[in-house]
Amino acid sequence: MSRIPTSQEPIVMVIDFHHARGPEIELCIGQDGTDPAAENDWSLLPFMALSDGAHMSTEEFSYFTLRRKETATEPATSLFGISCSRQFDSSLLIYRPSDVTRSTVQKAVVVVTDSPQSLGQLREKLSIVTSAWFAQRDFSDIDILKKFRENLVINVQSEGSKDQNLGRAEKCFSLARDASAYA
């Protein structure tokens, strides 16, 4: 019996470039109680999201795919990621953690979604959110990232409602057309 995949709620992550360990996942904002990176072995995600040479530009975007593993209720499927990388002069930070030892801080904000159709619009939103998060000068304040994810989830749910309504309208149109053929 085949299983129909359900919509994957968007995941927002932060990738940090640690001076000694390289790129690593610093934060994951997803469904409560889950760690999709560990559950799906996304060990290469930090390297795809914070690409080599990203420090050479003010803002850099990366696009990549990830595999969500099969579970008891869901088949394996592809997910799509987009990241926006920026760097910041660490002397301007309001809160500077002790492990920030270099003159710049480099991070990427990542969105993982199951819909590649929305990546163009998502790129613009991600750029604005990343810029605003960096402008706070305090990376411990993640409220803007949480609200961004909440907004993405609402958008996915409203798109699902539109698709459902469109499906109902098409079905009604089809039934009306069939009924008129017999009239």
Side-chain angles (χ1 to χ4, degrees):
M1 182 167 117
S2 71
R3 292 163 295 182
I4 299 171
T6 59
S7 179
Q8 167 75 45
E9 284 189 356
I11 303 164
V12 173
M13 299 176 140
V14 173
I15 307 301
D16 175 56
F17 185 82
H18 188 277
H19 69 280
R21 298 184 298 263
E24 56 190 10
I25 298 172
E26 179 179 314
L27 174 69
C28 178
I29 306 169
Q31 291 177 319
D32 291 337
T34 64
D35 182 357
E39 292 165 4
N40 293 286
D41 188 27
W42 293 347
S43 57
L44 295 178
L45 170 69
F47 299 93
M48 293 185 290
L50 196 57
S51 58
D52 193 29
H55 63 279
M56 295 161 74
S57 59
T58 305
E59 183 176 68
E60 179 78 21
F61 292 91
S62 296
Y63 299 86
F64 49 91
T65 59
L66 298 165
R67 184 174 185 269
R68 184 179 67 191
K69 289 183 177 179
E70 179 179 18
T71 67
T73 58
E74 298 283 333
T77 190
S78 292
L79 299 176
F80 305 89
I82 179 173
S83 70
C84 179
S85 305
R86 288 182 155 266
Q87 58 183 350
F88 191 76
D89 183 339
S90 62
S91 68
L92 300 174
L93 289 172
I94 293 170
Y95 169 71
R96 184 175 172 157
S98 61
D99 65 342
V100 174
T101 58
R102 294 204 169 173
S103 61
T104 59
V105 174
Q106 186 179 5
K107 295 184 183 284
V109 177
V110 178
V111 176
V112 177
T113 180
D114 64 355
S115 174
Q117 292 85 359
S118 62
L119 290 180
Q121 292 174 343
L122 190 53
R123 177 185 166 127
E124 297 306 314
K125 292 176 185 177
L126 184 58
S127 175
I128 292 166
V129 167
T130 303
S131 179
W133 186 52
F134 270 71
Q136 294 179 139
R137 301 181 330 173
D138 181 0
F139 295 121
S140 66
D141 183 354
I142 59 167
D143 193 50
I144 192 169
L145 299 177
K146 289 179 177 178
K147 294 214 181 304
F148 178 49
R149 181 185 179 267
E150 288 170 12
N151 182 266
L152 292 173
V153 170
I154 289 167
N155 286 344
V156 166
Q157 290 170 346
S158 67
E159 286 298 316
S161 297
K162 287 179 190 174
D163 291 345
Q164 253 183 347
N165 291 336
L166 180 60
R168 286 188 198 123
E170 287 175 352
K171 186 174 181 179
C172 288
F173 176 74
S174 176
L175 290 172
R177 185 186 62 225
D178 292 346
S180 67
Y182 294 109

